[in-house]
Amino acid sequence: MSVHGVLTIARLELLQRVRGARWVVVLVAWVCVIAGVTGLSWLGLRKAGDEQLGSTVYDVVLFFVLGLGMLVMPALTSTSVNGDRDQGVLATLQTTLLSAADIVLGKLLAAWLIALAFLATALPFLLFGYVKGGVDLLGALRSLVVIVVVLAVVCALGLMFSTLTARPVGSAVLTYLTVAGLCFLTTIVFGMLAFLVSGEEERQVYGVDYVTEGSVSDTQPRCTTRTEVRETVHTERIWPVLAINPFVIVADAAPQGDDEAEGMSGFTPLRWISQGARLAKAGPQETIDECWTGDAMPADSLTEGADDAGPVWPFGIAFLVLIGGGATAVAVQRTRTPVRRLPSGTRIA
C-alpha cells in the first residue's frame, strides 16, 4: 500500500462522482431539508417558549443530520467495487501497480470526503444553535468528531458488501439492512433482553410515611427507609447492546448542558437518549428514592446515577471502529488478485 496509490484512486473516484449532476441535486436537497428543519424548529420552539432554544435547535439539527447521513452515506460505497466490476473498470485497476489496499482505501477515502462535504454544509445550521447559547463548545466538537467516525464506518460497511456480492442491488440492500440493524434492531433487542434480566427483588425504599403524633389532625409526612419487594430490571447487564447504537453514541457525545436538571428540561432529544443510556449502564439504584411530598418527581431523581455510570459513547465508538476496520480488511481481502473463484455471471474485464 502507498499513499500515492490511495490518493490516486480517491481522486479518480471524486472526479467520476462530481462529473454527474445528480450529486449536486442531492447536495442542494440536503441543504434545503436541513435549513427547513432548522427554521421550523426555531419558529416552533420559540413560539412554545422553550427556555433552552439554542441547545434544543442544536440537538434537533444534529439528530436530523445523523439520520439523513445514515440514509445517504451507504449509497456512496455500497456499489463501488461490484459496480466497477460490472463495467470492467476494476479489472483494469487490478492490472496496474496499485494494490488491493490502494484501491479499497482510495474508494473509502473518496466516500468519506464526500460525507464530510455533506456534513460541512450542515455546520452553519449547527453553528446557529451554538450561537443562540446553551451549547458547550467542547461537547459540540466532540459530537462532530464522533459523527465523522460514524459516517466513516458506514462507508466502510458499504464498501465491504460491495466486494461480497456480485450485484450492486444486493450490496445496497445489505448495507441498508446493517445500518437499520445498528439503529433500530439494537433498541428492540435491548427491550427484549430487559425481560430476561428483570424480576422481583427485595429493595431498600426511601419513601414517605405518614406518622400520626397525638390526634389524627397531627398526621405529618415523614421520610423513612423500609424494605419492599419491587420489580427490578438489571440493565447494567445488557447496556452494551444499547451503547452500539449510532444515535446513542452521538447523543451521549453531544453537549449535556450545565447541570443535570438543565439537561433534562425542555425538548432535548439527544440529552434524553444520553441520560437513558447512562442510567441503563448504571443499573438499578441501591436505594429507591421516593421521598417527595408533591405530585411530581424531583428533576434530580430522574438523573440520579447517570453521572456515576459515566459516558457510554467511548465503548460504542470503539465497537464501531472495530467493525469498520474489520469491514475494510474484508474488502481488501476480497479485492486481491488473482481471484480464485468468482460468482457465476460476474464480469472480469
Side-chain angles (χ1 to χ4, degrees), residues 9 12 80-82 84-86 88-104 107 162-163 331-342 346-349:
I9 294 296
L12 291 174
S80 182
V81 174
N82 50 18
D84 283 356
R85 181 178 285 120
D86 283 346
V89 177
L90 181 63
T92 303
L93 293 176
Q94 291 173 327
T95 58
T96 65
L97 297 178
L98 295 171
S99 65
D102 292 335
I103 297 173
V104 170
K107 289 178 176 293
S162 71
T163 63
V332 171
Q333 183 63 33
R334 292 284 297 181
T335 315
R336 293 188 185 279
T337 53
V339 181
R340 296 183 179 181
R341 186 176 64 180
L342 282 174
T346 300
R347 177 174 179 174
I348 298 179

Side-chain angles (χ1 to χ4, degrees), residues 70-75 78 161 171-181:
M70 302 299 279
L71 290 175
V72 175
M73 296 311 122
S78 61
F161 285 119
S171 57
V173 170
L174 288 175
T175 304
Y176 279 108
L177 286 177
T178 303
V179 171

Side-chain angles (χ1 to χ4, degrees), residues 6-255:
V6 172
L7 295 179
T8 299
I9 294 296
R11 183 172 60 86
L12 291 174
E13 285 286 312
L14 291 174
L15 289 176
Q16 182 180 3
R17 293 186 185 276
V18 300
R19 190 175 301 172
R22 62 174 183 173
W23 290 107
V24 177
V25 175
V26 172
L27 190 61
V28 171
W30 167 282
V31 174
C32 291
V33 171
I34 296 177
V37 170
T38 305
L40 291 176
S41 300
W42 169 259
L43 293 176
L45 296 170
R46 185 179 182 182
K47 185 176 181 180
D50 196 314
E51 297 179 355
Q52 302 182 53
L53 190 54
S55 59
T56 301
V57 170
Y58 183 90
D59 276 12
V60 172
V61 174
L62 187 65
F63 194 90
F64 199 79
V65 167
L66 177 61
L68 280 181
M70 302 299 279
L71 290 175
V72 175
M73 296 311 122
L76 299 177
T77 55
S78 61
T79 62
S80 182
V81 174
N82 50 18
D84 283 356
R85 181 178 285 120
D86 283 346
Q87 298 174 5
V89 177
L90 181 63
T92 303
L93 293 176
Q94 291 173 327
T95 58
T96 65
L97 297 178
L98 295 171
S99 65
D102 292 335
I103 297 173
V104 170
L105 293 180
K107 289 178 176 293
L108 180 60
L109 177 61
W112 189 50
L113 290 176
I114 295 176
L116 293 182
F118 277 88
L119 182 60
T121 59
L123 289 180
F125 307 103
L126 293 172
L127 183 62
F128 174 79
Y130 173 77
V131 170
K132 293 301 178 181
V135 180
D136 176 55
L137 178 59
L138 181 60
L141 294 177
R142 182 176 60 241
S143 63
L144 290 177
V145 171
V146 169
I147 200 172
V148 164
V149 176
V150 170
L151 294 179
V153 172
V154 172
C155 291
L157 289 173
L159 193 62
M160 178 190 69
F161 285 119
S162 71
T163 63
L164 293 176
T165 59
R167 298 291 180 263
V169 174
S171 57
V173 170
L174 288 175
T175 304
Y176 279 108
L177 286 177
T178 303
V179 171
L182 288 173
C183 295
F184 303 108
L185 187 60
T186 51
T187 307
I188 297 173
V189 171
F190 177 83
M192 296 176 65
L193 290 177
F195 292 100
L196 301 179
V197 294
S198 63
E200 292 186 347
E201 298 179 3
E202 287 190 352
R203 303 291 305 281
Q204 294 294 319
V205 180
Y206 184 60
V208 178
D209 283 339
Y210 291 90
V211 180
T212 302
E213 298 179 356
S215 62
V216 178
S217 60
D218 293 333
T219 301
Q220 299 292 332
R222 181 179 297 176
C223 294
T224 60
T225 302
R226 58 185 181 272
T227 301
E228 295 183 2
V229 177
R230 293 289 186 91
E231 184 75 17
T232 304
V233 183
H234 288 278
T235 54
E236 77 280 5
R237 302 173 184 173
I238 58 173
W239 70 271
V241 177
L242 192 64
I244 63 177
N245 188 305
F247 285 92
V248 173
I249 296 172
V250 174
D252 193 55

